[in-house]
Amino acid sequence: MALGIEQIDDFVASYLQKFPMGKWQDISSPLNEYYFASRLFDKMNKREMSTSQCKWKIKVRNNSNFQVVGLYHRDSSDRVNVLDEGSLKWGLTTTNYHYDIDEEIFKQGADEIVDYMNLQEQGLMQDFFEGMEDIMFGPGPSSPTQSPFPPTSLLWWITATDDSTSENNSEEGFDGFEPLGWGSNGVGGISCTTYDQWRNRTFPYTVVDRDDFVEKVINSMDLCTFKPPVSRSDIKPEGNHRWELLTTHSRVAESRRLLQLGNDNIRDDLAAHSGSVMIRGVPMTWVPAWTNSSSENARTDGIILGVDWNTLDCYYASGRSQRKRKPYQHPDMSNVRVRAMDDSLQMVCYNRRANFRGYSTETVTETT
């Protein structure tokens, strides 16, 4: 039975929560996979903060009062501030869909209407995750004063710049300073100049081979591992890596070719397992957002990002995580209703030095 116009809004509001099985095949997603949804978004265990900004504590030093002493020694004792605080503005996002209560679909039965609204609702969620994917693999905020201020990104946290002005000018070492445009403002308000342990590792390479590429990745894995001498109450235990090597498709393809050469000396370091290429047992994952030429974040620098997911979290502003509003009347169109979803989050890295970033000194063309 068709609904009367006065019934449509209440019907939509009450039935949106049911999400029955759709009667369509969705081929609208442009990317092969969406990593924000699978790596950082955890619907069941969201970290929320009731603060004006996203904040977290970092221990940056010890009191350093250890001494070698003899008889009748005089103690020397200093007290310093061992904590610093990271902070970022919340990144606010919104998305929506709208419908006209005079659309033909609302003259049909309840099942057809529910299917139609379910289609719009699922599209709303897909828009959110597609938008967050672009943010996650993009450059991140361009300056502390950018307005509106977006969520940060992997490339904002794990940099390849030593001057915050030009990308891909870092040398091999812990040479990943503040992201472009941030200079002396620090990363999350914490200075890479004051605290060299707040820099991520970097390296340039020219070709994908054993000595130039694979060895530098392995060196970075070795040197980005810091194991504390005593048990600590870290947010995430240091040294317990959950690594993944994020890169472009050409880097994975070149590594497969390197494996096919059949060099037995390389197989302990570079291997294939269940169709995946691994370096020291860590999978190389190609990122569609960096590979596809149609993506706004397509790369030509042969990037390889050693990401320790154990050092990264998403924090959400309390009460504003995927907050959906009941459909409301469009201010300029009396028959049009708008269904909106707001979100407020920030991506936080607790330990930059556990991550690394490599780049090619030659321009890389991806085949898509």
Side-chain angles (χ1 to χ4, degrees):
M1 182 179 69
L3 296 176
I5 288 178
E6 71 282 355
Q7 298 174 290
I8 291 175
D9 289 344
D10 288 340
F11 178 86
V12 169
S14 62
Y15 272 81
L16 279 175
Q17 307 305 319
K18 296 201 173 183
F19 285 94
M21 181 65 68
K23 299 177 181 177
W24 56 84
Q25 180 64 45
D26 191 339
I27 61 169
S28 63
S29 299
L31 300 180
N32 302 74
E33 189 173 349
Y34 290 81
Y35 293 100
F36 173 77
S38 61
R39 303 300 194 275
L40 286 175
F41 181 78
D42 188 345
K43 185 176 181 179
M44 303 305 296
N45 297 291
K46 287 186 175 179
R47 291 178 176 268
E48 293 192 345
M49 288 185 184
S50 299
T51 52
S52 60
Q53 291 192 328
C54 179
K55 296 183 179 182
W56 66 99
K57 297 290 186 182
I58 297 288
K59 186 180 178 186
V60 293
R61 59 173 70 88
N62 294 304
N63 287 308
S64 300
N65 290 325
F66 178 80
Q67 293 175 269
V68 176
V69 299
L71 297 175
Y72 303 104
H73 73 276
R74 184 180 296 276
D75 287 335
S76 174
S77 182
D78 290 325
R79 177 68 182 268
V80 298
N81 185 3
V82 300
L83 291 177
D84 205 334
E85 183 176 74
S87 65
L88 283 166
K89 300 175 187 176
W90 289 112
L92 312 182
T93 67
T94 188
T95 186
N96 68 77
Y97 65 85
H98 57 268
Y99 57 91
D100 192 311
I101 60 176
D102 281 334
E103 289 182 58
E104 187 66 27
I105 189 68
F106 295 116
K107 299 180 179 66
Q108 300 181 31
D111 288 346
E112 288 79 9
I113 296 173
V114 169
D115 275 345
Y116 176 72
M117 297 312 301
N118 188 29
L119 179 68
Q120 307 305 318
E121 194 75 6
Q122 290 187 6
L124 178 82
M125 297 305 298
Q126 190 164 313
D127 280 348
F128 170 75
F129 284 109
E130 288 180 2
M132 283 306 304
E133 192 79 358
D134 286 337
I135 288 174
M136 178 177 173
F137 290 108
S142 60
S143 74
T145 58
Q146 181 177 343
S147 182
F149 194 81
T152 57
S153 68
L154 289 174
L155 298 184
W156 189 88
W157 279 108
I158 310 171
T159 68
T161 176
D162 63 10
D163 59 7
S164 303
T165 302
S166 301
E167 195 173 54
N168 293 342
N169 62 1
S170 295
E171 301 299 325
E172 185 172 10
F174 287 92
D175 207 27
F177 281 72
E178 283 83 356
L180 301 186
W182 282 73
S184 60
N185 291 283
V187 187
I190 300 173
S191 171
C192 296
T193 301
T194 303
Y195 309 118
D196 56 9
Q197 67 269 40
W198 191 234
R199 305 174 198 164
N200 62 266
R201 189 167 179 82
T202 59
F203 64 84
Y205 72 92
T206 303
V207 294
V208 178
D209 64 8
R210 173 63 180 83
D211 295 328
D212 193 26
F213 181 78
V214 176
E215 184 65 21
K216 288 178 179 177
V217 171
I218 292 170
N219 285 345
S220 294
M221 289 181 180
D222 290 342
L223 296 169
C224 287
T225 299
F226 296 85
K227 297 182 179 180
V230 295
S231 178
R232 305 185 309 204
S233 56
D234 289 342
I235 299 172
K236 297 290 184 71
E238 192 170 25
N240 291 354
H241 295 295
R242 188 159 56 93
W243 262 329
E244 187 173 17
L245 301 173
L246 300 180
T247 186
T248 59
H249 188 271
S250 68
R251 306 299 87 182
V252 176
E254 289 291 327
S255 297
R256 275 199 299 261
R257 293 190 189 98
L258 192 56
L259 273 172
Q260 289 165 1
L261 293 176
N263 186 344
D264 291 337
N265 293 328
I266 203 173
R267 292 191 179 276
D268 287 341
D269 297 322
L270 182 68
H273 177 71
S274 300
S276 297
V277 178
M278 321 277 282
I279 298 181
R280 282 278 177 89
V282 177
M284 290 181 67
T285 304
W286 70 275
V287 177
W290 288 341
T291 300
N292 295 8
S293 58
S294 59
S295 170
E296 64 182 56
N297 295 316
R299 309 286 303 189
T300 59
D301 61 351
I303 187 171
I304 181 162
L305 210 66
V307 178
D308 181 359
W309 293 112
N310 194 46
T311 68
L312 291 155
D313 262 328
C314 266
Y315 280 94
Y316 299 85
S318 182
R320 207 177 185 277
S321 173
Q322 295 189 333
R323 183 182 65 192
K324 294 181 180 179
R325 300 181 228 160
K326 294 174 64 175
Y328 61 89
Q329 181 177 316
H330 192 286
D332 298 321
M333 295 177 280
S334 60
N335 289 338
V336 174
R337 304 294 185 260
V338 181
R339 165 80 158 168
M341 183 179 79
D342 303 322
D343 196 76
S344 179
L345 63 81
Q346 263 310 345
M347 185 192 305
V348 171
C349 180
Y350 305 118
N351 187 2
R352 296 185 71 226
R353 67 179 181 173
N355 300 274
F356 59 90
R357 178 170 168 178
Y359 63 91
S360 174
T361 56
E362 304 290 337
T363 300
V364 175
T365 302
E366 301 291 330
T367 301
T368 57

